[in-house]
Amino acid sequence: MEYKDYYKVMGVAKNATTDEIKKAFRKLAVKYHPDKNPGDKKAEEKFKEIAEANEVLSDPVKRKKYDELGANWKEYEQQQAQGGGFYGGQGGGYRQQRGGDFSAEDFGGGGFSDFFESIFGGGGGFSSSGKRSTRAARGHDFQTEMDITLEEAFNGGPKQISLNGQLLKLTLKPGIQEGQVIRLKGKGGEGANGGANGDLLITIHIAKHARYEVKGNDIFFDQPVDIYKAVLGGKIAVQLIDKQIMMDIPPGTDSDKKFRLKGMGMRLFDQPDARGDAYVRIQIKVPKTLTPREKELFEQLAGDKPK
């Protein structure tokens, strides 16, 4: 069996920090995610390989044991060929430490590569007698990401996500926020020896909107207003995420003036009747073309009319 270099897979150094590993995984997962590469088997295999590497390197316990294995790989191969367990030499190896077997429970279980399954997963550990462990072990959790629109975050509703060729359906709650994690129970790696399946953890990312900027539960946006309305005041039509309203502006409103619309922002998660606020910034539009009469009136107001 070929040794898998998870550090090489992730493109990080062996002394990489947890944050560096997390960033590397996120970047690669976005690039090779099946949703972004439909029908591309190579991308799908690469995605699985990245997920497997992240499963080990992002967990301090698994990473330590993996590093110990790397230093003793040849010895492990020899022990496997002889049908025995691997206990390593002085200061290394997969040594029995708690008076019990190493099983998939120690590593999260799951259906990754033969290398992973042999070392970490579903019954891959060995007891002191050299026999495989038969203890039930929960499957490992899968992690993925989902991009949604601001309107989907506001309204909630049904979504679909592809995982290992399987189409999974879920329902977003209104008011879901950037970076929030959805857990789909039992949709992760398969359990071993009757153990429960792991979960699927989906991190939500809200796409940048052309009009609205979101900060917490509040939204911010610019509102164009013609110069006549800004000078004279009156009602203007303002388009929010879910509806259009009429808003009063006072005479002599300056450009960049901000108005707060209470309760007109994003919906609050798990509180569908509650909303944040909307903040409107006025942007005065200067007319590019004028009729002769309009030009005459502006000249009179400016005191520039020729005598």
Side-chain angles (χ1 to χ4, degrees), residues 48-277:
K48 291 179 182 179
E49 189 177 38
I50 295 162
E52 178 176 317
N54 183 65
E55 172 72 17
V56 176
L57 300 185
S58 63
D59 185 304
V61 176
K62 296 176 191 173
R63 183 178 179 181
K64 180 176 182 295
K65 293 177 179 178
Y66 170 75
D67 288 342
E68 291 175 349
L69 171 66
N72 298 276
W73 176 243
K74 291 300 181 183
E75 183 179 352
Y76 175 81
E77 280 190 307
Q78 293 171 3
Q79 293 287 344
Q80 290 289 76
Q82 296 169 8
F86 177 60
Y87 301 98
Q90 183 177 1
Y94 283 66
R95 186 180 303 278
Q96 184 173 330
Q97 295 178 350
R98 298 191 301 269
D101 301 334
F102 276 112
S103 70
E105 189 175 19
D106 294 296
F107 305 99
F112 284 131
S113 69
D114 290 342
F115 173 83
F116 183 97
E117 292 296 333
S118 175
I119 310 305
F120 301 123
F126 291 85
S127 69
S128 57
S129 63
K131 297 180 179 179
R132 289 183 179 270
S133 170
T134 58
R135 281 174 21 194
R138 179 182 180 277
H140 67 275
D141 292 339
F142 286 161
Q143 297 183 25
T144 189
E145 300 180 346
M146 174 185 285
D147 295 326
I148 64 174
T149 66
L150 183 60
E151 288 79 5
E152 288 174 326
F154 180 87
N155 294 308
K159 288 287 289 183
Q160 294 181 339
I161 189 169
S162 176
L163 179 69
N164 296 334
Q166 182 183 8
L167 198 62
L168 303 177
K169 296 181 179 181
L170 64 149
T171 300
L172 299 177
K173 290 185 179 181
I176 193 165
Q177 294 190 345
E178 167 69 26
Q180 196 163 336
V181 177
I182 298 174
R183 180 183 293 269
L184 297 185
K185 285 192 171 293
K187 298 302 182 180
E190 293 184 3
N193 301 320
N197 288 353
D199 300 333
L200 174 61
L201 306 178
I202 307 171
T203 301
I204 297 297
H205 296 295
I206 302 175
K208 186 177 180 180
H209 199 279
R211 175 171 170 79
Y212 307 109
E213 180 183 3
V214 179
K215 296 180 181 179
N217 295 308
D218 298 330
I219 61 172
F220 299 78
F221 60 94
D222 292 341
Q223 177 64 43
V225 175
D226 65 61
I227 192 169
Y228 312 108
K229 192 72 69 175
V231 171
L232 300 174
K235 291 185 178 293
I236 61 172
V238 176
Q239 182 63 52
L240 300 170
I241 295 178
D242 59 331
K243 60 185 176 182
Q244 187 179 84
I245 65 169
M246 299 302 295
M247 185 182 86
D248 287 313
I249 63 170
T253 296
D254 292 325
S255 200
D256 289 335
K257 173 72 176 179
K258 291 182 180 179
F259 294 91
R260 176 190 178 199
L261 300 176
K262 189 174 181 180
M264 297 288 183
M266 290 293 291
R267 287 194 171 107
L268 273 62
F269 187 73
D270 270 345
Q271 301 180 55
D273 296 330
R275 295 175 62 164
D277 299 329

Side-chain angles (χ1 to χ4, degrees), residues 20-57:
E20 288 172 337
I21 291 170
K22 182 179 179 181
K23 289 178 181 178
F25 171 70
R26 181 172 176 176
K27 181 179 179 180
L28 292 170
V30 169
K31 180 179 180 180
Y32 292 103
H33 195 283
D35 286 349
K36 294 185 179 293
N37 303 274
D40 188 335
K41 293 297 183 182
K42 289 185 178 180
E44 182 178 341
E45 290 302 316
K46 184 67 175 178
F47 183 78
K48 291 179 182 179
E49 189 177 38
I50 295 162
E52 178 176 317
N54 183 65
E55 172 72 17
V56 176
L57 300 185

